[in-house]
Amino acid sequence: MRRSILLASALVTTLALTACGTDDTGEAAADESAAADETTEPAGDGGTLTVWVDETRQDAVAAAAEAFESETGAEVELVLKPFEDIRADFIAQVPTGEGPDVTVGAHDWLGELITNGVVAPVELGDTAAEFEEVAVQAFTADGQVYGLPYAIENIALIRNTELADSAPATWDDAIAAGEDAGTKFPFLIQSDGENGDPYTYYPFQTSFGAPVFEQNADGSYTPELAMGGENGEAYAQWLADQGEAGNLTIDTTYDISVEAFANGESPFIVGGPWMLEQFADLDLAIDPVPAAGDEAAQPFVGVQGFYVSARSENALLANDFLVNFLSTEEAQTALFEAGGRPPALTAAADAASSDPIVAGFREVGADAVPMPSIPEMGSVWAFWGVTEAGIISGKAEPAEAWNKMISDIEGALGS
Amino acid sequence: MTDLQHPGAPRATVERPGPGAGSTLPPEPSRGRRVRPDESPARRLGPGFLAKLAMMAVVDAFGVYVVWSAWVAEAWVILGAMLAMLAVANWVYFSRRTVPLKYVLPGLIFLFTFQIFTIAYTGWVAFTNYGDGHNSTKDDAITALLAQNERRVEDSPSLPLTVVTDGDELGFAVVRPDGTTAAGSADTALAPVDATVDEGRITAVDGWEVLDRQEILERQGEVTTLRVPASEDPNDGSVRTQDARTGYLFTPALVYDEVADTMTDTTTGAVYAPNDEGQFEAADGSTLQVGWRVFIGFDNFTTAFSDSRYAGPFFQVVVWTFVFAFTSVATTFLLGMFLATAFNAPIRGRRVYRTLLILPYAIPGFVAPLLWSGLLNRSFGFVNQVLLGGAAVPWLTDPLLAKFSIIAVNLWLGFPYMFLICTGALQSLPTDVMEAAKIDGAGRLRTWRSVTLPLLLVSTTPLLISSFAFNFNNFALIYMLTGGGPRFADASVPLGHTDILITMVYAVAGLDGSAPKNFGLASALSIVIFVIIATISAIAFKRTRSLEEIN
């Protein structure tokens, strides 16, 4: 036993020796920090701006950066990062002074970025009026704008025109049309198994008049839950009924439902522009999500944009880049072509709307509500989907489960 | 590498023969070569020394680069640690007295950077409230609060702006909406000036010098912090700019009083003072949004165990963690040992079988669970659809079946490892005891039970213990396969039937996004888990030693 430990440690040591010579290890970390630090420092020749982008936006931002570079003499360094890593990395790295000057991001991060003090307000000035109202609203907290929006994304009803020739007005119409089509699924909504998918189901919930949080007059959310009560219970009952009837199932994950729709196994799917690539062979129409309750079915709108770091040493360059270069029609159109989401700039969105698909999503988005960006939303996600999935699969008593969810969320918010 | 160090070891003892030193040495291979006993090999100018000199030069150059970068980045800890490491490395490799250290030092440095530092840092975080809302220092929090609460004066115009200087002080020159021009600096409010306006923007101004883009960027920190009062009345706000092209009128909604260390809300008059939790708090108990990191003592450890919502689920999670870790080790070991014994006999194509058996081990531990979660999907998974002919077995969604699935998948993942170590141990068993057993008339089974198994256990028990510790924290498997689900139906916290302690920590500390992140709490809980595993392992190792003695 002892001997084996000795042997192992000797082996490790030898390996270390041969692998790295007599290298020390402290430098790896130090190196990175040094490299990162150099980029945030204002350089003499017009300055260097560090921008975090993800793969889909890289080329479009690079194009805008080129215009910026040639006009101002500044240098823009794009750092490629996976989109899902950006949020946590930005919060962790900005306080150390090693974060970027500008990062791409989604509007629903805003609450978390603000409480952690890592994001700086951006004064859009007169350009604010040139953007779609919902886009600027989404990036606004407590009356301050914190980012430059560039794309709006929302879900809608995607219809295979060969299988259904007209847009269903209500949920029952949609199911009837789906059954007439004689396909494997009358209607497709993705779910994530037991975790549910409250984002995709949200338009049906709003059609029962049960929005997740109370909204202020200016459209911002308060941390008061609004999805309880009678309306919420009615929605829960609807989930249970449709689950029992087989119209809703939690087993159709994103991949499964997209593949089924692409194979013509359903005339309808609730989804966003990110699915369209797989539906290239189909004739599609984009319709509003049919209401299941008495009110309009409003999906969530997600807005993507660019944030400026609170610790940027190039705040001037960063704001200049955002407000004067990424807000132009060319830049927003380029971002649209790269990402496929309707642009946030009205002029660019108008141009992009020549495509009926884009116009369809945009039309649905006009009636949609921004996804709450308040930090309390995290606690809602933790219970919401699981409860919905439990009700749909028939495991849970609808009203009871729904009310337990409300009290659990309130407990989590209160703690 | 060997050239560099090997000669040093034996010859150093030739030079200073100590009691008994010579006798422990292996026969020296280079005895034939001429050795000058008065010269240290560490200093002799041979090819070995030159090679060492070159390598140390590289190391030192690298070290100096790091020190310099750390200096620039003002990272004093890294700078100090690097200096110390450099000094030690140079001393060790140029001294004659540090022969053993020459071999051990790189390993020690790895240990220090990757283990001890991480543990110390976790320990430090466990006593702070680092997390959402307490992300950085107090200075950062103050800066962020002030920036977030500087508000544009309602309906104020946007002013085309030019950055100017009167020699040393910066100022702004703006064109007002009515076309008049004005200039001012931090101390002097905007006053009308004569200026040349070109395309709506001032290009030259009396008494001030216009800065070009280059000069502005060199002083961008000053430009963005400059506030030029709009008039003598502070309520009119002051002009600031974020892009040096357009100015806006702003008024601060929060004012920081450095002497009193308080924040004052200018609209309500409420005064916020810093509290013990690292936040600015008003008399009525309301706090400002951005806080900072402070030491909170043992609070993280007490909150971890005082939240009543967690009491019930916590107990279930602990039980399942032990069951899971123990069953995982037991099943993988039994299957691995069985296969190893079976394939230890000479069979045709043994090598092929062995290679095939090790295959699951080659699949990364976080990909395989993901794969299996697809295979086990209730409606569309391969297992139900193809193997069971369309059955709808809720492999991952029924509490009991999910536990079973987890252990089964872990068995699939883990038995090749046990198979490997058992094969190795079986092959190195002494043949004489086997023969002795045969001579004594013991049957095969009896030999296996009384001789093979105990000998096998001696060499594999330490690995079983480490395997237990690994499975105790097998985050990737649980997270990727079931995500902890199915949820406890009766609990009010987002935990499920297959959550183990480490995935519970992940959820409790909000790292999965279901609650505000609390790195302090997460660190405290992982220290608790560390203590549990360390205790179990220590006891188990002690037992192993007695096992060793018996044999």
Side-chain angles (χ1 to χ4, degrees):
Chain A
M1 178 57 231
R2 281 266 165 78
R3 204 172 301 153
S4 73
I5 288 182
L6 268 180
L7 200 73
S9 57
L11 191 73
V12 167
T13 315
T14 326
L15 279 177
L17 275 167
T18 40
C20 328
T22 41
D23 241 348
D24 291 310
T25 49
E27 41 275 59
D31 253 0
E32 265 173 41
S33 71
D37 195 75
E38 273 158 36
T39 56
T40 45
E41 239 166 76
D45 51 342
T48 304
L49 194 65
T50 312
V51 181
W52 281 1
V53 283
D54 67 329
E55 217 177 333
T56 47
R57 290 123 186 137
Q58 193 184 17
D59 291 343
V61 177
E66 215 165 281
F68 181 64
E69 283 174 337
S70 63
E71 195 177 321
T72 63
E75 208 178 299
V76 178
E77 197 198 346
L78 298 183
V79 179
L80 191 64
K81 287 183 87 82
F83 194 73
E84 58 268 29
D85 289 352
I86 290 179
R87 181 184 194 164
D89 286 1
F90 190 71
I91 291 170
Q93 291 190 20
V94 165
T96 64
E98 288 162 24
D101 298 303
V102 171
T103 183
V104 71
H107 88 272
D108 56 307
W109 307 352
L110 187 57
E112 199 180 343
L113 299 187
I114 290 176
T115 39
N116 286 319
V118 293
V119 63
V122 175
E123 182 53 56
L124 293 179
D126 299 336
T127 33
E130 296 168 20
F131 283 90
E132 302 274 68
E133 203 185 332
V134 66
V136 178
Q137 196 187 73
F139 273 99
T140 305
D142 200 13
Q144 294 272 58
V145 178
Y146 283 89
L148 180 93
Y150 79 82
I152 300 175
E153 60 181 29
N154 57 269
I155 51 174
L157 184 70
I158 305 176
R159 172 164 55 94
N160 186 338
T161 49
E162 272 173 35
L163 297 170
D165 49 10
S166 64
T170 65
W171 169 258
D172 295 331
D173 291 353
I175 292 297
E179 276 161 2
D180 286 348
T183 46
K184 184 174 173 191
F185 301 96
F187 198 96
L188 277 169
I189 312 175
Q190 74 192 56
S191 181
D192 181 18
E194 298 291 298
N195 297 323
D197 192 337
Y199 173 84
T200 310
Y201 277 87
Y202 192 63
F204 300 106
Q205 183 173 334
T206 49
S207 77
F208 283 92
V212 53
F213 285 119
E214 301 280 0
Q215 262 179 304
N216 292 324
D218 66 348
S220 62
Y221 289 89
T222 67
E224 291 287 313
L225 279 185
M227 56 182 180
E230 258 173 55
N231 293 343
E233 283 175 24
Y235 169 61
Q237 188 58 49
W238 175 79
L239 287 178
D241 295 344
Q242 299 302 320
E244 208 182 329
N247 296 329
L248 297 178
T249 164
I250 59 169
D251 292 319
T252 47
T253 61
Y254 176 81
D255 293 331
I256 292 168
S257 33
V258 166
E259 203 190 323
F261 188 82
N263 293 340
E265 289 171 11
S266 173
F268 305 111
I269 184 170
V270 178
W274 49 88
M275 291 178 177
L276 295 174
E277 210 170 290
Q278 275 111 305
F279 305 155
D281 309 336
L282 305 174
D283 279 330
L284 301 176
I286 309 299
D287 305 318
V289 179
D294 302 331
E295 295 181 31
Q298 293 177 296
F300 276 141
V301 171
V303 183
Q304 290 172 330
F306 295 90
Y307 290 108
V308 177
S309 156
R311 287 278 302 263
S312 169
E313 290 180 33
N314 295 302
L316 205 69
L317 273 182
N319 280 289
D320 196 19
F321 182 49
L322 256 56
V323 178
N324 301 320
F325 288 85
L326 282 176
S327 66
T328 61
E329 197 180 327
E330 298 89 57
Q332 296 258 329
T333 305
L335 284 162
F336 158 68
E337 280 159 6
R341 275 87 158 156
L345 191 75
T346 310
D350 288 342
S353 298
S354 60
D355 180 349
I357 301 283
V358 175
F361 276 111
R362 190 178 168 209
E363 216 164 284
V364 176
D367 293 327
V369 285
M371 188 144 69
S373 63
I374 51 176
E376 284 81 2
M377 196 60 197
S379 305
V380 176
W381 291 121
F383 297 95
W384 199 7
V386 176
T387 308
E388 288 189 357
I391 294 173
I392 294 167
S393 63
K395 268 191 203 163
E397 185 58 37
E400 190 187 315
W402 194 261
N403 288 326
K404 177 171 181 297
M405 172 189 82
I406 300 289
S407 70
D408 286 351
I409 296 174
E410 277 166 353
L413 292 181
S415 70
Chain B
M1 195 89 260
T2 41
D3 207 53
L4 188 123
Q5 286 176 336
H6 178 71
R11 250 167 266 129
T13 50
V14 171
E15 187 189 18
R16 298 178 292 112
S23 59
T24 57
L25 276 178
E28 200 165 334
S30 57
R31 189 151 286 174
R33 264 194 268 156
R34 201 162 61 91
V35 175
R36 278 172 293 177
D38 59 325
E39 211 175 90
S40 158
R43 287 171 198 169
R44 199 185 52 217
L45 263 174
F49 180 77
L50 286 179
K52 171 160 86 173
L53 203 64
M55 292 201 75
M56 284 310 291
V58 171
V59 170
D60 285 345
F62 213 65
V64 169
Y65 169 72
V66 172
V67 168
W68 177 75
S69 313
W71 178 276
V72 173
E74 298 181 6
W76 307 123
V77 179
I78 293 176
L79 192 147
M82 198 63 224
L83 276 179
M85 282 187 212
L86 271 187
V88 171
N90 280 293
W91 173 66
V92 165
Y93 288 108
F94 286 109
S95 163
R96 303 178 239 167
R97 300 177 195 177
T98 53
V99 176
L101 259 183
K102 283 177 183 165
Y103 291 86
V104 181
L105 184 74
L108 280 182
I109 288 176
F110 276 119
L111 181 79
F112 178 78
T113 1
F114 291 117
Q115 302 272 348
I116 299 184
F117 172 74
T118 319
I119 292 172
Y121 187 73
T122 311
W124 175 71
V125 170
F127 291 96
T128 69
N129 61 355
Y130 178 29
D132 270 349
H134 303 274
N135 195 37
S136 189
T137 61
K138 187 173 175 186
D139 287 344
D140 280 354
I142 292 169
T143 318
L145 281 170
L146 293 179
Q148 288 172 9
N149 287 287
E150 190 168 22
R151 290 171 189 282
R152 187 171 164 192
V153 177
E154 258 176 71
D155 302 326
S156 63
S158 59
L159 308 163
L161 173 144
T162 309
V163 182
V164 293
T165 176
D166 67 352
D168 47 16
E169 214 180 350
L170 284 180
F172 291 148
V174 297
V175 183
R176 292 202 166 116
D178 57 8
T180 59
T181 52
S185 66
D187 305 322
T188 53
L190 284 182
V193 286
D194 286 330
T196 322
V197 180
D198 186 24
E199 290 180 11
R201 197 177 297 277
I202 291 176
T203 51
V205 56
D206 275 356
W208 299 83
E209 193 188 324
V210 173
L211 262 66
D212 66 19
R213 189 83 194 155
Q214 189 63 46
E215 291 164 318
I216 292 173
L217 286 177
E218 277 165 21
R219 303 173 71 171
Q220 57 173 303
E222 284 175 72
V223 174
T224 44
T225 49
L226 178 63
R227 305 285 181 267
V228 177
S231 69
E232 298 301 332
D233 179 7
N235 289 331
D236 286 349
S238 49
V239 177
R240 64 176 283 213
T241 183
Q242 285 185 327
D243 57 2
R245 297 175 199 265
T246 317
Y248 301 97
L249 286 176
F250 278 86
T251 49
L254 269 185
V255 179
Y256 179 61
D257 182 343
E258 235 168 281
V259 183
D261 194 18
T262 54
M263 285 275 187
T264 311
D265 189 326
T266 53
T267 47
T268 64
V271 177
Y272 295 84
N275 65 9
D276 289 344
E277 269 117 56
Q279 274 189 314
F280 282 107
E281 189 179 319
D284 64 354
S286 63
T287 53
L288 295 178
Q289 212 168 10
V290 187
W292 57 95
R293 271 192 241 185
V294 287
F295 276 95
I296 51 167
F298 282 90
D299 278 11
N300 283 327
F301 292 89
T302 48
T303 46
F305 296 102
S306 61
D307 191 334
S308 60
R309 296 182 303 142
Y310 281 98
F314 177 75
F315 180 72
Q316 277 174 284
V317 167
V318 169
V319 171
W320 162 241
T321 308
F322 276 97
V323 170
F324 163 70
F326 183 80
T327 323
S328 291
V329 176
T331 50
T332 52
F333 179 67
L334 286 178
L335 183 63
M337 184 177 60
F338 170 75
L339 290 171
T341 319
F343 287 106
N344 203 32
I347 313 171
R348 189 194 270 268
R350 186 165 66 162
R351 280 197 182 172
V352 178
Y353 289 126
R354 276 187 179 161
T355 316
L356 287 178
L357 280 174
I358 299 169
L359 272 187
Y361 198 44
I363 299 178
F366 51 91
V367 174
L370 215 56
L371 213 95
W372 275 100
S373 79
L375 294 177
L376 293 172
N377 180 296
R378 191 170 70 99
S379 309
F380 305 97
F382 182 82
V383 173
N384 278 347
Q385 283 290 307
V386 179
L387 298 185
L388 301 176
V393 182
W395 290 112
L396 298 174
T397 50
D398 177 78
L400 207 66
L401 271 177
K403 288 179 177 176
F404 172 78
S405 303
I406 284 207
I407 288 176
V409 170
N410 206 21
L411 172 64
W412 181 84
L413 263 175
F415 85 86
Y417 171 72
M418 295 296 182
F419 172 70
L420 271 182
I421 61 170
C422 286
T423 304
L426 281 175
Q427 284 171 349
S428 63
L429 286 189
T431 45
D432 50 349
V433 283
M434 302 288 177
E435 270 170 36
K438 213 181 221 172
I439 291 165
D440 284 347
R444 276 201 169 186
L445 204 64
R446 176 79 197 185
T447 315
W448 189 83
R449 197 164 61 81
S450 303
V451 182
T452 314
L453 186 64
L455 285 175
L456 194 63
L457 279 179
V458 170
S459 49
T460 51
T461 313
L463 294 165
L464 296 186
I465 296 166
S466 63
S467 175
F468 179 85
F470 172 80
N471 278 310
F472 203 88
N473 278 335
N474 200 341
F475 179 83
L477 176 77
I478 306 284
Y479 187 73
M480 295 290 180
L481 192 57
T482 63
R487 289 278 185 90
F488 291 125
D490 50 350
S492 297
V493 282
L495 293 177
H497 288 275
T498 56
D499 263 316
I500 56 174
L501 278 173
I502 193 75
T503 57
M504 186 188 96
V505 169
Y506 193 73
V508 169
L511 304 184
D512 61 352
S514 66
K517 284 188 196 55
N518 191 340
F519 297 112
L521 184 64
S523 301
L525 286 171
S526 30
I527 287 179
V528 172
I529 295 180
F530 169 75
V531 170
I532 297 176
I533 298 177
T535 317
I536 295 172
S537 303
I539 295 170
F541 271 121
K542 218 169 177 181
R543 302 266 306 178
T544 321
R545 210 167 295 148
S546 63
L547 191 75
E548 213 165 338
E549 278 156 16
I550 289 167
N551 289 281

